[in-house]
Amino acid sequence: MKKFILFLLIGFTAIAILTPINKANAQSQYLRVIDDNTPFYTNEFSSSPLFYLPYSYYVKVIGENGDFYHVEYCGENGINGLDGFVPKTKLFDDSQSSSSYYPNVTITTSSNAVLYADSSLLNSIQYIFPDREVKYYGSLYQADNTLIYFVSYNDKLGYIKESALLPFEIPLHPNPLTFLDTPEEPEETPETPEIKPSADVSSIKIAIIVSLSFAGLFAIFIAFKNKPTKSNSSYYEETDYE
């Protein structure tokens, strides 16, 4: 009996030690959408995306398959989640945490609208009256460059034309955009400090200039003082000879 109790204690201790490790290993990985051309496919073999994911938001990685991540998208703030596939090269790991990784955008219809089951807008699901709110997932351009949105309405998923909606904006995710390259600031060339002569040096220069000036004046004065004068005895007038 004592051995059995000891065995149970050892077992519970092992579980208590391993549980935090398992939780750490089960931590979710969220990768970020870094451009406006990140496709979300229903499977890795699709040739056309279901829609394009909104810039700066995240998807949750739940697996990998070749060149694709199997991801979850949305599933919070009252918006039903989707699972799909995104090319690995289109996602970025910025290692930032957030209380909400997905867009929470509600769009309002401006007129009678149609919810379509396909991006070609051939198969309608239902009509939607004006002033009805739909939940936003992503966007898609058609061949004629018409913009449509992938939305949910009353738990039904489909496409709706931009022309049937009131204008709206999709704000950037609040996390910093760390994936953007920060332009390097040009290095400042250190200025050569201007060396100003000290007061002593200036005084010496002035003294030298003054001295040279006085010396020059003195030399001129001596030159004029020592200049020989003409003697009158060397000249005779005509009247000196008879």
Side-chain angles (χ1 to χ4, degrees), residues 27-33 54-60 72-77 94-104 172-175:
Q27 186 177 3
S28 300
Q29 182 185 19
Y30 291 87
L31 300 181
R32 200 163 195 184
V33 178
Y55 172 67
S56 79
Y57 287 88
Y58 294 81
V59 294
K60 178 182 176 182
E72 287 182 355
Y73 173 61
C74 290
E76 60 184 23
N77 300 316
D94 66 359
S95 301
Q96 297 186 78
S97 60
S98 175
S99 59
S100 178
Y101 291 93
Y102 311 119
N104 183 17
L172 294 177
H173 191 279
N175 277 358

Side-chain angles (χ1 to χ4, degrees), residues 3-17:
K3 290 183 178 181
F4 179 72
I5 294 173
L6 182 61
F7 178 77
L8 289 177
L9 289 174
I10 293 173
F12 284 125
T13 303
I15 292 172
I17 294 172

Side-chain angles (χ1 to χ4, degrees), residues 36-180:
D36 293 316
N37 300 307
T38 302
F40 184 88
Y41 296 97
T42 55
N43 59 70
E44 65 271 37
F45 306 109
S46 298
S47 58
S48 298
L50 192 64
F51 54 83
Y52 287 90
L53 293 162
Y55 172 67
S56 79
Y57 287 88
Y58 294 81
V59 294
K60 178 182 176 182
V61 177
I62 58 177
E64 298 183 38
N65 196 335
D67 296 330
F68 291 84
Y69 284 118
H70 188 196
V71 301
E72 287 182 355
Y73 173 61
C74 290
E76 60 184 23
N77 300 316
I79 303 176
N80 292 328
L82 302 176
D83 82 292
F85 292 83
V86 179
K88 291 180 178 179
T89 57
K90 301 297 289 184
L91 297 174
F92 178 77
D93 183 6
D94 66 359
S95 301
Q96 297 186 78
S97 60
S98 175
S99 59
S100 178
Y101 291 93
Y102 311 119
N104 183 17
V105 179
T106 300
I107 315 172
T108 304
T109 56
S110 61
S111 60
N112 289 329
V114 180
L115 185 67
Y116 293 95
D118 57 319
S119 59
S120 58
L121 309 183
L122 298 176
N123 302 307
S124 61
I125 298 174
Q126 72 173 91
Y127 287 94
I128 304 175
F129 291 115
D131 300 320
R132 300 295 191 268
E133 293 183 343
V134 298
K135 298 292 186 179
Y136 164 90
Y137 284 91
S139 59
L140 187 69
Y141 278 98
Q142 295 181 291
D144 61 357
N145 215 33
T146 299
L147 183 61
I148 58 177
Y149 294 98
F150 191 81
V151 300
S152 68
Y153 179 70
N154 287 341
D155 292 332
K156 295 178 181 178
L157 298 172
Y159 297 92
I160 193 169
K161 292 181 179 179
E162 182 185 34
S163 58
L165 302 170
L166 293 175
F168 68 97
E169 292 184 356
I170 303 169
L172 294 177
H173 191 279
N175 277 358
L177 305 178
T178 57
F179 51 85
L180 296 179

